[in-house]
Amino acid sequence: MNAPGPDKKRKRFKVSPLLGLDAWIDSTLYETRFRLAEFWEDTTIFFRRFHVTGWRRAIFEVLGEAFTWGTVGSVLMLTLAIPAFHETEKNWRTRDDFAVTFLDRYGNEIGQRGILHRSAVPIDELPDHVIKAVLATEDRRFFDHFGIDFLGLSRAMTENLRANSVVQGGSTITQQLAKNLFLNNERSLDRKIKEAFLALWLESNLTKKEILQTYLDRAYMGGGTFGIAAASEFYFGKSVKDVNLAEAAMLAGLFKAPAKYAPHVNLPAARARANVVLTNLVQGGLMTEGQVVGARRNPATVVDRGRSESPDYFLDWAFDEVKKVAQKMPTHTLVVRTTLDTGIQKAAEESAEYHLRQFGKEYHVTQAAIVVLENNGAVRAIVGGRDYGESQFNRATAALRQAGSSFKPYVYAAAMEKGMTPKTLVSGGAVSWGNWSPQNYSRQYLGKIDLTTALVKSINTVPVRLAKDYLTTAPIVALTKAFGVESPISSHKTMVLGTSGMTVMDQATGYNVFATGGIAGMRHPFTQILNQNGDILWDWKKDGVKPHRVLSQTAADNMNIMLSQVPEWGTGRRAALPMTRAAGKTGTTQSYRDAWFVGFTGNYTAAVWFGNDNFTPTKELTGGILPAMTWQRFMNYAHQNIDLKAIPGIDPTLPKQDKVAAAEAEAVDDDALKAEERPRVLSGATAKAIREIGQALKAAPQLKLPILPSKVSAL
């Protein structure tokens, strides 16, 4: 047998790189697992030294749970507070350099804005008793806490529990300043969390002296004044440097509720509040009873300002609108002739307050807002809330509240533009749009139904079917924006039933397009801006937005025909007026959080909202109840002693059922205090004649008188 020779080659196997990589991964994973196990064992052995048993273990378990949930809570609160910090990015330190005096539509002065914000006095120049009075009442531990006073909060909670009511507040001056600068008066947990974080931010970015100075300069003090220096000038006619202890106590008492304790409105209440401030000075150890006894015996007296009340919500909004057009004007000391009608303003305020006072507890509703426009676009009244002194947040121009069924006219208007008519038949049966199946308020469904009946009875399924099968949401959003609505309108399918938030001002602006027969761009809060010499710097007729058509005349007439039926035999019967035909729409949102009535006549358009600041549901309040009743009450006043105009497209003859509905609405208000009769105003023809005479006088050449001979000889 022959052995293999050396020349015979053996077969070699080539190792793949992937096998090497696989081996490296396996070894690395094994090594990592081994080291982790070793580390875990060492850690376990180390922590066994801290192992406790018995009652000590219970303590550590509780502390551990507290730390865990505390961390979770801190992260949650920080998440909620982050949006508030965006406000600090603005230049909030600056003050407006505008000094604006506002006149009503007849030329009467109604208030000022801007100049009263700048009447500041350095804190080092303020009398000692002024500072002590403020600190004793608002924040005794101001110099001892870091924005949040937990001891003061505990004391306030204890006193409130004892009294079974809110008798003391736990907010520090820093927290109140944070609210005034960055937030609103909404009573919610979210707002309180933001307020707390912003207070800490202020404490870390400002000195105590700067915080106190800013608080004294920016707080609302009643009477249209902001800041303690402006309030001193307004109430006492003197500089805050010269006020005595009794006057200082009265000023310090205004911070809590300036409208309630304003001395020019309720002097006895202001003096009683000042006496509480003097007691706080003694209890806080800042003064002795002997030092304050003179102020108790000789309370402050104020300058007689009459009982005229400033339309502050209107002035705040008008001031913002003025600044938009006056930034580039040569002077910022201005006189503005507004469109405000003080009679309608007072009637709207009275109507809202009356219905809140009479029915607020029954329906669990605490706030209302109103905007009234004359159909030429002039804003005649704004009610931004129940009490400006308690809350300067303007619910009429800034609050976004779901519109509910009061949004449906925008959907129907888009359908009218597509060629439909009030008599067009549409199925009122159940409808599904994807996984959304809206229901009617009555939980019942109908067969074929005309659009008038669907709108008047506020059937939900019909506008949904219109948007789904005939329109889509895009043209509805576009038309709403064209109407002048500035609120963000969602294009989601649920927007058809009014899920988007809208302001009361936007609702009045939108419905005003129906009242004008399809013309938009009419809304304006003032007609002229003048300098102090009386020179006209801006005029609405020349410089304002030009009115333009956004809805065809046919579509507008069809909408008015349908909307005029709502107060006659629909959901808004309580809004019917005894002297003229009205049109409009009610609105009620999910869980009864918002109730609306938005309507118009041939003369005026008005939007009314009822609800709660904290978005809690009302007690089954619908738009056809308090909003419609409130609308009817002040509109009844607004239409006295004027030339009644017809709504475009409808017969002005008042149907019999209108009178019956109006009588029913008035019967609800039998116990109401009758509103003052509106003073008679000039008729349209008379006003036109006077204007023509004025223009003729301006254009007439100057009359040159002859010089008498006696005068010549004398010369």
Side-chain angles (χ1 to χ4, degrees):
M1 189 174 186
N2 296 329
D7 56 333
K8 289 186 179 181
K9 296 181 180 179
R10 293 186 178 181
K11 207 171 188 180
R12 294 186 179 181
F13 295 95
K14 188 175 181 181
V15 179
S16 172
L18 294 177
L19 290 176
L21 177 62
D22 181 66
W24 179 82
I25 292 174
D26 287 345
S27 61
T28 301
L29 290 175
Y30 175 80
E31 187 72 19
T32 301
R33 186 178 64 179
F34 177 78
R35 292 187 180 279
L36 286 174
E38 194 175 47
F39 171 78
W40 178 252
E41 184 177 0
D42 293 341
T43 303
T44 303
I45 294 172
F46 174 78
F47 277 103
R48 281 175 183 170
R49 302 176 184 178
F50 304 99
H51 182 69
V52 293
T53 58
W55 61 271
R56 293 184 180 86
R57 180 174 182 178
I59 293 176
F60 277 97
E61 290 288 343
V62 171
L63 291 176
E65 290 294 325
F67 179 79
T68 301
W69 287 108
T71 303
V72 172
S74 299
V75 172
L76 178 61
M77 287 193 295
L78 183 59
T79 302
L80 293 173
I82 285 176
F85 285 121
H86 293 310
E87 296 292 333
T88 64
E89 299 172 359
K90 302 176 182 178
N91 192 8
W92 53 269
R93 290 176 180 266
T94 60
R95 300 176 188 169
D96 296 308
D97 60 347
F98 285 89
V100 182
T101 299
F102 289 96
L103 312 177
D104 68 7
R105 64 179 298 193
Y106 301 113
N108 303 308
E109 184 174 336
I110 54 175
Q112 294 179 321
R113 283 295 184 269
I115 188 67
L116 296 181
H117 289 270
R118 298 178 57 82
S119 303
V121 175
I123 198 168
D124 293 333
E125 299 179 19
L126 292 176
D128 184 60
H129 51 263
V130 171
I131 302 298
K132 287 182 177 179
V134 174
L135 293 179
T137 305
E138 296 299 310
D139 191 355
R140 297 179 190 176
R141 289 172 38 82
F142 175 69
F143 291 100
D144 298 324
H145 61 69
F146 197 73
I148 303 174
D149 184 9
F150 293 103
L151 292 177
L153 182 61
S154 301
R155 181 181 66 252
M157 292 177 63
T158 302
E159 292 298 325
N160 292 339
L161 288 173
R162 287 178 180 175
N164 197 27
S165 65
V166 180
V167 296
Q168 285 190 16
S171 295
T172 64
I173 283 178
T174 313
Q175 288 176 276
Q176 294 179 56
L177 178 60
K179 180 183 68 176
N180 293 340
L181 291 178
F182 306 115
L183 305 173
N184 55 49
N185 287 63
E186 178 186 342
R187 295 183 178 180
S188 65
L189 178 62
D190 180 45
R191 199 268 292 169
K192 292 298 292 183
I193 293 173
K194 292 178 181 179
E195 179 185 289
F197 276 94
L198 286 170
L200 296 176
W201 183 88
L202 286 173
E203 289 279 352
S204 61
N205 285 274
L206 301 178
T207 65
K208 287 287 187 179
K209 183 177 177 180
E210 290 175 324
I211 291 173
L212 185 57
Q213 178 78 67
T214 308
Y215 177 71
L216 294 176
D217 291 346
R218 305 279 183 104
Y220 179 66
M221 303 291 284
T225 63
F226 288 82
I228 197 168
S232 177
E233 295 282 355
F234 181 79
Y235 294 122
F236 307 123
K238 62 172 71 173
S239 170
V240 70
K241 300 178 184 179
D242 302 323
V243 298
N244 57 37
L245 179 57
E247 293 165 340
M250 188 171 285
L251 289 174
L254 291 172
F255 288 95
K256 179 179 181 180
K260 181 179 180 181
Y261 298 118
H264 72 303
V265 175
N266 192 341
L267 184 58
R271 287 177 170 173
R273 176 63 179 166
N275 201 46
V276 173
V277 174
L278 295 174
T279 301
N280 291 337
L281 281 167
V282 176
Q283 292 180 347
L286 299 176
M287 286 188 176
T288 65
E289 184 62 39
Q291 289 175 303
V292 304
V293 66
R296 291 191 194 274
R297 293 178 178 177
N298 300 286
T301 57
V302 298
V303 176
D304 185 10
R305 298 287 183 181
R307 293 192 56 83
S308 60
E309 297 182 4
S310 175
D312 291 307
Y313 287 115
F314 179 92
L315 293 179
D316 284 350
W317 178 69
F319 186 48
D320 290 336
E321 296 298 307
V322 167
K323 289 187 290 185
K324 291 178 182 179
V325 301
Q327 289 291 345
K328 296 182 179 180
M329 288 184 178
T331 177
H332 285 177
T333 302
L334 306 169
V335 177
V336 176
R337 185 182 291 273
T338 72
T339 57
L340 182 84
D341 187 308
T342 53
I344 296 177
Q345 175 71 33
K346 291 178 181 178
E349 291 173 354
E350 185 276 338
S351 184
E353 177 59 27
Y354 166 74
H355 288 95
L356 284 171
R357 187 173 64 249
Q358 293 293 321
F359 306 105
K361 290 185 179 180
E362 178 183 349
Y363 288 102
H364 186 63
V365 60
T366 57
Q367 283 293 352
I370 300 170
V371 171
V372 184
L373 275 66
E374 193 166 341
N375 287 350
N376 60 9
V379 181
R380 297 304 187 199
I382 294 178
V383 179
R386 192 171 187 178
D387 186 343
Y388 185 84
E390 180 181 339
S391 169
Q392 292 86 58
F393 178 64
N394 197 330
R395 295 156 188 83
T397 61
L400 293 173
R401 305 295 300 225
Q402 286 190 348
S405 293
S406 64
F407 185 82
K408 291 176 182 176
Y410 302 106
V411 180
Y412 283 88
M416 295 299 108
E417 285 286 68
K418 284 285 187 179
M420 295 185 178
T421 70
K423 296 181 180 180
T424 298
L425 296 178
V426 177
S427 172
V431 61
S432 294
W433 194 344
N435 57 357
W436 181 45
S437 300
Q439 294 181 326
N440 293 323
Y441 181 78
S442 63
R443 300 296 190 269
Q444 296 177 350
Y445 300 98
L446 306 173
K448 289 285 185 178
I449 184 174
D450 62 80
L451 294 185
T452 298
T453 303
L455 179 62
V456 172
K457 294 298 184 182
S458 201
I459 305 299
N460 287 338
T461 55
V462 171
V464 174
R465 190 178 302 279
L466 289 176
K468 174 178 177 289
D469 297 340
Y470 302 98
L471 300 171
T472 73
T473 60
I476 301 172
V477 174
L479 185 62
T480 305
K481 291 296 182 183
F483 274 30
V485 173
E486 298 173 355
S487 302
I489 304 299
S490 170
S491 59
H492 190 265
K493 55 193 173 187
T494 57
M495 59 85 73
V496 176
L497 299 184
T499 57
S500 296
M502 298 179 70
T503 65
V504 182
M505 178 63 74
D506 275 342
Q507 286 275 58
T509 303
Y511 276 63
N512 189 239
V513 174
F514 300 129
T516 59
I519 306 299
M522 304 281 282
R523 187 187 80 193
H524 56 285
F526 46 84
T527 55
Q528 290 180 333
I529 300 177
L530 307 92
N531 61 20
Q532 286 187 312
N533 296 325
D535 302 321
I536 298 176
L537 305 178
W538 185 94
D539 187 271
W540 164 254
K541 294 181 180 178
K542 181 179 67 174
D543 305 308
V545 177
K546 303 304 178 186
H548 53 281
R549 179 168 293 280
V550 295
L551 191 65
S552 68
Q553 186 69 57
T554 301
D557 290 348
N558 285 337
M559 286 302 304
N560 292 342
I561 290 171
M562 294 192 294
L563 290 170
S564 64
Q565 307 302 305
V566 174
E568 294 174 8
W569 54 278
T571 56
R573 288 188 294 275
R574 288 185 175 90
L577 295 171
M579 78 294 289
T580 186
R581 294 191 72 177
K585 185 70 184 74
T586 58
T588 309
T589 63
Q590 190 175 17
S591 300
Y592 300 98
R593 286 186 173 88
D594 304 278
W596 296 82
F597 184 80
V598 192
F600 54 93
T601 65
N603 297 83
Y604 294 100
T605 302
V608 179
W609 165 86
F610 275 76
N612 297 309
D613 284 342
N614 58 4
F615 290 89
T616 55
T618 63
K619 191 174 181 181
E620 298 185 355
L621 175 64
T622 65
I625 306 177
L626 296 190
M629 293 160 61
T630 301
W631 190 92
Q632 191 269 351
R633 184 175 175 84
F634 69 75
M635 278 294 212
N636 192 33
Y637 170 89
H639 286 80
Q640 294 178 18
N641 297 325
I642 64 172
D643 292 335
L644 298 177
K645 301 176 182 178
I647 297 174
I650 69 170
D651 182 358
T653 305
L654 194 64
K656 292 182 180 180
Q657 57 264 39
D658 259 2
K659 296 179 181 179
V660 174
E664 292 177 353
E666 286 188 318
V668 177
D669 279 357
D670 274 344
D671 296 329
L673 296 174
K674 295 301 181 183
E676 295 182 5
E677 183 178 357
R678 186 181 183 189
R680 186 174 296 277
V681 297
L682 295 176
S683 67
T686 305
K688 181 180 179 181
I690 292 176
R691 284 195 297 268
E692 290 175 351
I693 293 172
Q695 292 171 357
L697 289 173
K698 288 182 179 180
Q702 185 176 0
L703 182 63
K704 295 182 180 180
L705 296 175
I707 300 177
L708 299 177
S710 60
K711 298 293 183 180
V712 174
S713 60
L715 293 174

